[in-house]
Amino acid sequence: MDPQFSQLEIPGEFARYSLQDDKSIISRLDSWRDNAHHNLLILRDMDVDGLSLNIKSKLAFIASTFDGPGDWVTPTSRSIAQEILQVFNRSPDTALLAHILMHMVKPIFQATPHPSLHMETGRRLPRPAGGPMASQDHYDSQEWKAHPGIANTLSWWVRTAPPTAYETLWHLLIPPVMTLLDDYEARYKLCGVRIVAEMLHRVPEGLLVRTGVGMLMSRSLANCLHHLNSEESASLVAAAIPAALALVLRTTSPGSAQRFEQLCMLLGDGVIGGVWLYSSDNLGVVQASLDALPQLVAALGMGSTRYLKALVPQLVHPLLAAPRDANRTLQISALTALVVVIDECGPRMPRWKGTILNGIGRCWISVDGTSEELVKTQLRHTCTRLEAVCPSIREDEYKRFIAVDPSLFRSLVDDETCG
């Protein structure tokens, strides 16, 4: 039994697989990856009921390292691993979950305790242990990176554990999760963000507030929106904004000043003052921020009006591109977000209707005679929503459009708006 476990311990070189240039190492890793499913099949056929807690925990731990992304994972090995984990997912055993964290996860991270957490309670410390340079010391020795599958294990754990397990095992779970989230490498940050997002579906909201970890997570997620110079930046932004939003909604009361302030920080400092200010030329990052924007604006509601000077020009800008430079996917995302801004900030739209219609008109010209039906549909829908809050445009701006070119603009302003 032990040989199957040891043979499925993921080689540490997989942590830097994409950077490997030694052909012999690449060949060895490829061979290991392609053969891993044979040993997983042996584990799958084991009679779990007759196993000790220690062996069950090893089985779940090994299988969980294949239940997610990774250069060591193939579709076959992931599928077999998920079959193995089904028995543990159906009726989560707190004793097994505790054993995995205590005896398999904790030793991996023990050499690098998180400086902002009390390791025995999982509470946020009032100041970093070790002084101002503690965070730098935290990065000096990172032995946990020699265990490439650990993020998949933590992801499986938070998706499987019942809420009661979070209460009793918080001090074992949160240090490794925060270590991932606060790492200086974007790919590990991304793993941490995704785990936090999954965790927020189950963790008792009082636990986040009571331990101060909610505040710690909020700062860490905000930092992700300033980590914009890596290949993973677009994915990081796409994951971090919804996770930060979910955290705010989970830890604050509806209508409270605290919720309003935190949502304003996320939109104003994170998206506008972070992503858009420092990464305006990175289309992937901008796209990710626009896709995440509708939920954030909807959560802030009329409070978004204080940011219209940034929101409207940013969302209209993609519509102004010349046909040869136009990014149609970006335009659809911008228009989708713009509709939410119009709906939530309706009373302020008369001031912005000219800017919005200028962008819509120019974009309509660029898609005229093309097969970009999704863009056309979204342009018409945006007109409909704008007309709902600014009825005067029907008799004013629309007539100007028609006067310029009836054959071109009538299908924009008539199909939905004039019925």
Side-chain angles (χ1 to χ4, degrees):
M1 187 180 301
D2 282 339
Q4 275 71 47
F5 287 140
S6 60
Q7 290 172 25
L8 285 169
E9 291 179 359
I10 303 166
E13 294 99 328
F14 270 115
R16 292 287 184 269
Y17 180 84
S18 61
L19 303 177
Q20 292 287 351
D21 55 9
D22 187 321
K23 291 183 179 180
S24 64
I25 294 178
I26 295 173
S27 177
R28 173 167 56 82
L29 294 177
D30 288 348
S31 178
W32 186 95
R33 177 190 60 214
D34 295 340
N35 286 292
H37 71 278
H38 295 298
N39 287 312
L40 284 169
L41 283 171
I42 296 174
L43 299 185
R44 185 195 64 182
D45 295 336
M46 293 168 57
D47 181 10
V48 176
D49 293 334
L51 301 178
S52 67
L53 175 62
N54 184 47
I55 298 301
K56 283 182 181 179
S57 300
K58 286 184 179 180
L59 178 60
F61 178 82
I62 288 292
S64 68
T65 62
F66 290 87
D67 184 24
D71 291 315
W72 59 92
V73 181
T74 65
T76 301
S77 63
R78 181 185 293 112
S79 177
I80 299 170
Q82 289 171 346
E83 288 184 57
I84 294 171
L85 292 169
Q86 281 179 1
V87 65
F88 304 109
N89 297 341
R90 283 196 295 268
S91 53
D93 181 352
T94 301
L96 179 138
L97 294 170
H99 193 91
I100 290 173
L101 289 182
M102 174 62 77
H103 299 286
M104 297 166 192
V105 175
K106 184 178 179 179
I108 292 174
F109 290 90
Q110 201 154 18
T112 52
H114 195 285
S116 296
L117 288 169
H118 190 294
M119 303 308 290
E120 299 302 319
T121 64
R123 290 177 174 270
R124 182 177 69 91
L125 293 172
R127 62 187 62 84
M133 295 301 293
S135 296
Q136 186 58 48
D137 295 339
H138 183 60
Y139 297 140
D140 287 344
S141 175
Q142 295 185 303
E143 296 177 9
W144 58 270
K145 289 185 178 179
H147 301 268
I150 195 62
N152 286 347
T153 295
L154 290 167
S155 175
W156 170 79
W157 198 101
V158 301
R159 286 181 282 117
T160 303
T164 53
Y166 282 93
E167 291 279 2
T168 57
L169 302 173
W170 187 247
H171 64 294
L172 295 172
L173 172 66
I174 202 61
V177 172
M178 291 305 301
T179 295
L180 286 169
L181 185 59
D182 286 335
D183 194 63
Y184 66 92
E185 292 188 74
R187 59 198 182 107
Y188 291 110
K189 276 187 177 294
L190 180 57
C191 291
V193 171
R194 288 171 173 168
I195 292 169
V196 167
E198 293 162 347
M199 180 190 301
L200 290 173
H201 292 295
R202 291 173 171 265
V203 63
E205 58 191 61
L207 185 59
L208 291 166
V209 176
R210 189 170 69 249
T211 61
V213 171
M215 184 183 299
L216 202 61
M217 283 182 176
S218 179
R219 293 174 182 172
S220 299
L221 290 169
N223 287 339
C224 292
L225 302 184
H226 295 268
H227 205 99
L228 302 169
N229 298 313
S230 70
E231 293 181 2
E232 294 86 0
S233 291
S235 298
L236 188 58
V237 168
I241 296 174
L245 175 59
L247 179 63
V248 173
L249 299 181
R250 188 86 168 136
T251 57
T252 60
S253 302
S256 65
Q258 185 183 21
R259 173 171 292 190
F260 179 75
E261 289 168 2
Q262 291 187 22
L263 290 174
C264 284
M265 287 181 62
L266 179 54
L267 178 56
D269 298 341
V271 177
I272 297 171
V275 177
W276 293 354
L277 181 61
Y278 296 108
S279 207
S280 58
D281 58 344
N282 187 326
L283 292 183
V285 169
V286 173
Q287 174 85 53
S289 70
L290 296 187
D291 288 340
L293 193 61
Q295 283 186 311
L296 177 53
V297 170
L300 191 52
M302 271 293 291
S304 303
T305 56
R306 64 166 60 183
Y307 301 107
L308 287 176
K309 288 183 179 180
L311 288 170
V312 174
Q314 179 69 41
L315 297 176
V316 169
H317 180 71
L319 309 181
L320 304 177
R324 65 179 180 279
D325 301 320
N327 183 316
R328 300 307 182 190
T329 303
L330 190 66
Q331 289 178 339
I332 291 172
S333 297
L335 288 164
T336 301
L338 187 57
V339 164
V340 179
V341 171
I342 291 169
D343 288 345
E344 297 295 338
C345 307
R348 298 292 181 87
M349 284 301 105
R351 178 181 175 184
W352 293 100
K353 62 181 181 178
T355 302
I356 294 171
L357 288 171
N358 177 56
I360 290 175
R362 290 177 181 274
C363 188
W364 184 260
I365 292 171
S366 76
V367 297
D368 181 53
T370 72
S371 58
E372 300 291 346
E373 296 304 321
L374 288 177
V375 180
K376 294 177 183 178
T377 298
Q378 197 62 34
L379 287 167
R380 294 190 189 103
H381 180 55
T382 306
C383 282
T384 301
R385 301 312 307 151
L386 186 60
E387 183 186 347
V389 297
C390 301
S392 64
I393 65 175
R394 187 183 183 92
E395 298 301 323
D396 189 359
E397 284 83 1
Y398 284 0
K399 286 187 175 180
R400 295 180 193 173
F401 275 151
I402 299 300
V404 170
D405 191 332
S407 63
L408 173 61
F409 287 111
R410 194 173 299 280
S411 57
L412 168 64
V413 300
D414 280 7
D415 286 358
E416 288 189 17
T417 61
C418 300

